[in-house]
Amino acid sequence: MKLYLRWICFLWSLVLLSCSIIEVPPSAWKGHLTADSYLSQPHKTIQLTGEWEYYPGLLFSPAELPELKSIREPHYFKVPGVWTKSFLDKGFLAGDGYATFHLEMVHGLKGIPLSIKVPEMESAYTLFVDGERLSSNGFVSTSYQTGIPEYRPQIIDFIPKENQTSFLIQISNYHHRKGGPAQVITLGRTSDIHKQYEFEILRDMLLVGSILFMGLYHIFLYWNRKKDPFTYWFALTCILVALRVFITGNKYLVQLYPNLPWEIHLKLSYLSFFFITPIFAKYVYLLFKPYFSRRVYELLKYLGFAFCFIVLVTRSSFYTYLMVPFQIFTLFGALYTVLVLTRAIRDSLPGSVIFLFSFLVFVTSFVNDILVNNLIINSPLTIHFGIFMMFFVQSIYIARNFSKGFVDAENLAIELSEKNQTLQKVQNQITILNERLETRVKDKTIELQSKLDQITKDMKLAKSIIQSVTKVPDMDPHIKVDILYKPTADVGGDIFFVKRIQDFYYRFFLGDATGHGLQAALYSMMIQSEFERVSAVAMRPNDLLFYMNQHFYDKNADLQIYFPALVMDFDFHQSILRYAGGGVQNQIILRKKSEPVILENTGPIIGILEHYRYGIFETKVESGDRIFLFTDGLFEELNEADGMEAWDELLSVIQSTSDLPFQEVISAIQTMLYQKMNKSSWKDDSTLIFIEIT
């Protein structure tokens, strides 16, 4: 028992440490939130809490905000919060109403992909970001007849055009006791928000799976031993808790069934909570029957089921007001359970101490969540962890009781004897196999040598095929091209294609396939085949990347082919260069007598995100302009600890060749890179395509 207590204390301390706040983020004051210094740190996300501008009884668009401010001073509303009035003043309409909220935020992340995680609002909302409508739940309205509630948490990606962003939210509520922004919006870099969301999914699914497994396990225990009915009620409690975790929080049920009516979803949310108290009370009553008053148990059972019945037969505008009374009712039952366990400990009932400890952990987390949900305190929700720890201990407690009833030691001993005999036979067989192993090794060595010879032939064929598809066509009089291609094996992962679309239109493709050797050759041929197919229909570079990305996402998901790639088109009718890059490093244009132009990445690597629309960069080109396209292997070894510094060194090398004749540029760059790396070869495949406009 002491060992169990130590483990539970250790697990609970980890939960508390994970919930602790290391640094207090800034909050809004009078409608303004300055968080550029806080968000400048990597992997930081921020909740948009604090004082928002508040316009009760008004629904307006971002375009109308300046005119409204000129004639009316805003109120200020602390988020998270609700505008719900006293029940004594407005009765069951205490949460009804509509309003508009506005916040100006300085984040200093202009041009950096950002995401906002928008939870449900009470109970319909429309969100505008920098004047654009990006998210909504339900239908915001000024009347009950047209308002539609909805709970569907969303993650919205956007790229800010300035270092500050304006958020405007329209909210209405006619279906819930609470109205307003009871939840908070979280903002951060796109990768951080999505990782945070993926972690929440993993955490919740582990929690659901663990608790559900406990429930199913104890169902089978009851099925095989009906003399202990408390296992059945414990299993039902586990299943209800797992269902509640799945329904609440990130609303996985709504994501699984998008057309599920809001009223049904809310009823399931309330019922999964209200049923827990009478069912868990039955479990505790059966375990500690000598100490648990039957009258108290009947009171908990019938009152709990009465709450559930009211939820089933009434609308949300009524039964949502039952939450606070039911929480008080549940706390009463919890306090009485603590009293029962104290009596059991006094009589030295086996297992009562560890039961009390786990139950106190649960009650503490439950009280914390009551205070959070009623906006009395602002801290992380801990009820799911409290429930998991309590149920984990309960499982140990039940298993401990069952272990005392096992009387099959003699049968196990007989079975063990039979297993030992079988093991002896297996050992004899292993001895015989070992004696034959040497002969089999010789045979396998000959077979492997034959396979190696065949692989060598295949590699030569693959190298020949790759060389044939990477030939550069004659592009006079528009372009001169020189290429530095340094694979680390006979066939490398870098692959490039140059295609003449028309006499005045040329397309360059450069990618970095996974691996080396035969694997890279196969991937390269797949990429080349898809490039040829979509080049006929893709009018612009970003269209080509979109089609290739969708192809590899849909048809090659099992192979997990992901690769960075860039496409550059030259249209000499209009003297225009068009560029799109997916997951590649910055590329370089050297213009005569002007600063270099940096071609930045316009999207993620190919094959990782479905339906992603890549950006495009366009610029005029003229005679004498030089373009350098390259893979990351060309410069990474300049400084393996700092990729940005390595790229800067490569840029410096390229700029130093601006006055050299065309035919000397590639050799000069290669020589200078070798000198800087202090070596005569690259560890990774390296490709440099040098283009000069003639």
Side-chain angles (χ1 to χ4, degrees):
M1 184 179 297
K2 291 182 179 179
L3 180 61
Y4 292 151
L5 287 174
R6 289 176 182 174
W7 271 105
I8 297 305
C9 290
F10 174 72
L11 290 172
W12 186 247
S13 64
L14 288 180
V15 171
L16 294 178
L17 285 174
S18 67
C19 296
S20 63
I21 300 176
I22 299 175
E23 180 181 355
V24 178
S27 59
W29 184 74
K30 291 191 175 181
H32 290 82
L33 174 58
T34 302
D36 49 344
S37 128
Y38 180 80
L39 289 175
S40 64
Q41 306 173 56
H43 309 301
K44 285 289 186 181
T45 61
I46 187 170
Q47 293 184 336
L48 307 186
T49 60
E51 294 181 349
W52 286 52
E53 291 179 4
Y54 174 47
Y55 300 89
L58 290 176
L59 296 178
F60 55 88
S61 66
E64 299 169 319
L65 180 61
E67 181 180 354
L68 181 64
K69 280 190 173 183
S70 66
I71 61 175
R72 175 173 175 173
E73 288 292 325
H75 300 278
Y76 296 101
F77 192 95
K78 188 174 182 180
V79 177
V82 292
W83 60 53
T84 305
K85 303 297 182 183
S86 169
F87 180 85
L88 299 176
D89 295 335
K90 297 187 66 177
F92 292 105
L93 302 178
D96 288 12
Y98 57 93
T100 303
F101 300 80
H102 175 250
L103 175 69
E104 289 287 340
M105 177 183 181
V106 178
H107 47 67
L109 298 175
K110 175 182 177 182
I112 297 177
L114 300 180
S115 294
I116 48 176
K117 182 181 179 184
V118 189
E120 71 273 14
M121 300 292 175
E122 306 295 343
S123 55
Y125 77 89
T126 300
L127 171 64
F128 297 85
V129 179
D130 284 335
E132 295 184 24
R133 175 175 173 171
L134 292 189
S135 174
S136 66
N137 268 189
F139 184 80
V140 179
S141 175
T142 58
S143 66
Y144 171 83
Q145 288 75 14
T146 56
I148 300 175
E150 185 181 19
Y151 286 166
R152 192 185 305 277
Q154 301 181 62
I155 293 180
I156 309 300
D157 302 332
F158 70 102
I159 299 178
K161 298 179 181 178
E162 301 295 338
N163 284 321
Q164 67 178 33
T165 297
S166 173
F167 298 91
L168 187 141
I169 309 179
Q170 300 172 349
I171 301 178
S172 68
N173 174 65
Y174 305 99
H175 301 81
H176 199 279
R177 69 181 176 91
K178 294 190 296 185
Q183 309 289 334
V184 295
I185 297 172
T186 303
L187 179 140
R189 292 171 176 84
T190 295
S191 59
D192 297 329
I193 291 294
H194 283 274
K195 285 179 182 177
Q196 188 180 87
Y197 180 65
E198 291 166 1
F199 173 78
E200 291 174 1
I201 294 176
L202 177 61
R203 178 200 65 195
D204 290 344
M205 291 304 102
L206 286 174
L207 197 61
V208 169
S210 301
I211 297 176
L212 187 60
F213 177 80
M214 293 180 198
L216 295 176
Y217 173 74
H218 287 92
I219 286 269
F220 285 114
L221 285 182
Y222 172 75
W223 184 269
N224 290 286
R225 185 178 173 84
K226 293 184 173 61
K227 292 182 179 180
D228 296 314
F230 59 87
T231 57
Y232 171 77
W233 295 98
F234 178 74
L236 286 185
T237 308
C238 289
I239 293 171
L240 278 174
V241 171
L243 177 63
R244 178 160 180 79
V245 175
F246 195 74
I247 293 174
T248 58
N250 283 313
K251 306 293 188 292
Y252 302 112
L253 183 63
V254 176
Q255 298 182 30
L256 190 61
Y257 299 101
N259 297 323
L260 183 71
W262 179 85
E263 185 73 33
I264 294 178
H265 172 254
L266 192 64
K267 282 184 184 292
L268 289 174
S269 176
Y270 273 64
L271 289 173
S272 65
F273 177 52
F274 286 4
F275 269 118
I276 290 174
T277 297
I279 291 177
F280 187 75
K282 178 73 171 180
Y283 164 66
V284 180
Y285 171 74
L286 292 175
L287 274 181
F288 302 95
K289 208 167 185 178
Y291 308 95
F292 207 117
S293 168
R294 182 172 182 83
R295 290 184 178 179
V296 175
Y297 163 68
E298 296 289 342
L299 174 66
L300 293 173
K301 179 177 74 172
Y302 289 116
L303 266 180
F305 288 140
F307 276 99
C308 297
F309 178 77
I310 294 173
V311 171
L312 285 171
V313 300
T314 61
R315 295 191 307 179
S316 60
S317 56
F318 178 84
Y319 66 74
T320 53
Y321 287 86
L322 299 178
M323 180 57 75
V324 173
F326 188 82
Q327 289 172 344
I328 297 173
F329 164 72
T330 302
L331 283 176
F332 165 78
L335 292 175
Y336 182 78
T337 302
V338 171
L339 179 62
V340 168
L341 294 174
T342 304
R343 293 174 181 171
I345 292 173
R346 180 193 60 194
D347 293 344
S348 301
L349 188 69
S352 55
V353 173
I354 191 172
F355 195 110
L356 176 61
F357 177 81
S358 65
F359 190 76
L360 288 176
V361 170
F362 162 73
V363 171
T364 302
S365 64
F366 180 70
V367 171
N368 172 79
D369 282 23
I370 289 177
L371 297 176
V372 172
N373 288 327
N374 288 283
L375 303 177
I376 298 173
I377 64 173
N378 184 17
S379 69
L381 297 174
T382 58
I383 186 64
H384 296 157
F385 298 102
I387 289 173
F388 173 77
M389 292 188 66
M390 182 186 70
F391 282 10
F392 177 74
V393 174
Q394 300 304 313
S395 298
I396 295 175
Y397 179 82
I398 294 174
R400 185 172 178 270
N401 289 339
F402 269 90
S403 65
K404 295 179 181 179
F406 293 158
V407 292
D408 299 325
E410 182 178 356
N411 293 335
L412 290 175
I414 295 173
E415 183 180 353
L416 180 61
S417 177
E418 293 174 351
K419 293 294 183 183
N420 285 335
Q421 294 176 4
T422 303
L423 179 60
Q424 185 61 47
K425 292 179 181 179
V426 171
Q427 288 178 339
N428 293 336
Q429 292 174 356
I430 291 174
T431 302
I432 296 173
L433 290 174
N434 284 335
E435 293 173 354
R436 300 175 181 174
L437 182 60
E438 185 175 352
T439 302
R440 293 178 62 86
V441 167
K442 291 180 180 179
D443 295 339
K444 288 296 179 182
T445 301
I446 296 172
E447 182 180 350
L448 288 174
Q449 185 60 48
S450 175
K451 296 290 185 182
L452 182 60
D453 294 340
Q454 183 61 45
I455 290 173
T456 302
K457 294 179 181 178
D458 292 343
M459 286 295 297
K460 291 180 179 179
L461 176 60
K463 181 178 180 180
S464 175
I465 293 174
I466 295 301
Q467 289 175 345
S468 67
V469 300
T470 56
K471 289 183 178 179
V472 179
D474 182 19
M475 290 175 281
D476 284 337
H478 302 294
I479 297 177
K480 292 192 293 185
V481 179
D482 196 3
I483 297 176
L484 171 66
Y485 179 59
K486 293 291 183 180
T488 56
D490 286 341
V491 179
D494 288 357
I495 183 72
F496 64 89
F497 314 115
V498 182
K499 185 176 182 63
R500 175 182 297 174
I501 307 298
Q502 296 181 29
D503 289 340
F504 59 87
Y505 201 103
Y506 304 95
R507 174 165 290 166
F508 287 76
F509 177 92
L510 178 59
D512 187 355
T514 304
H516 304 283
L518 189 59
Q519 176 192 9
L522 293 173
Y523 286 173
S524 297
M525 285 186 283
M526 292 176 67
I527 294 169
Q528 193 270 341
S529 174
E530 184 61 16
F531 170 79
E532 291 292 339
R533 186 181 72 84
V534 301
S535 279
V537 296
M539 301 303 297
R540 300 186 303 174
N542 57 329
D543 294 334
L544 188 141
L545 289 185
F546 170 79
Y547 294 138
M548 293 191 75
N549 175 72
Q550 200 57 36
H551 172 83
F552 284 101
Y553 184 92
D554 291 340
K555 298 186 177 180
N556 297 298
D558 294 339
L559 297 177
Q560 296 183 342
I561 301 178
Y562 312 121
F563 59 92
L566 64 86
V567 182
M568 178 174 289
D569 287 2
F570 291 93
D571 182 352
F572 287 102
H573 262 347
Q574 305 178 34
S575 296
I576 288 179
L577 175 152
R578 299 183 179 94
Y579 170 81
V584 296
Q585 64 288 325
N586 296 341
Q587 308 295 314
I588 300 168
I589 299 178
L590 288 185
R591 299 189 187 276
K592 280 192 173 182
K593 299 179 181 179
S594 64
E595 292 296 321
V597 177
I598 305 303
L599 301 178
E600 297 184 349
N601 192 42
T602 62
I605 63 176
I606 304 302
I608 196 167
L609 290 179
E610 187 177 14
H611 299 307
Y612 189 89
R613 288 289 181 181
Y614 290 80
I616 188 170
F617 174 83
E618 294 188 2
T619 184
K620 288 284 186 178
V621 293
E622 58 185 22
S623 178
D625 287 352
R626 291 181 170 183
I627 299 96
F628 296 85
L629 307 178
F630 45 86
T631 58
D632 54 9
L634 187 72
F635 65 91
E636 280 184 338
E637 294 180 58
L638 293 175
N639 191 327
E640 296 181 359
D642 189 336
M644 286 302 299
E645 185 173 337
W647 192 90
D648 290 339
E649 290 188 32
L650 175 63
L651 176 59
S652 174
V653 168
I654 290 175
Q655 286 180 294
S656 68
T657 66
S658 59
D659 296 327
L660 293 179
F662 173 83
Q663 61 273 14
E664 298 179 9
V665 171
I666 287 289
S667 60
I669 291 175
Q670 181 175 355
T671 300
M672 286 187 281
L673 290 178
Y674 282 158
Q675 290 174 351
K676 286 180 174 291
M677 293 187 300
N678 195 24
K679 58 180 72 173
S680 59
S681 64
W682 280 275
K683 291 192 299 185
D684 193 10
D685 299 329
S686 303
T687 302
L688 170 64
I689 302 177
F690 170 45
I691 306 166
E692 181 174 280
I693 309 301
T694 58

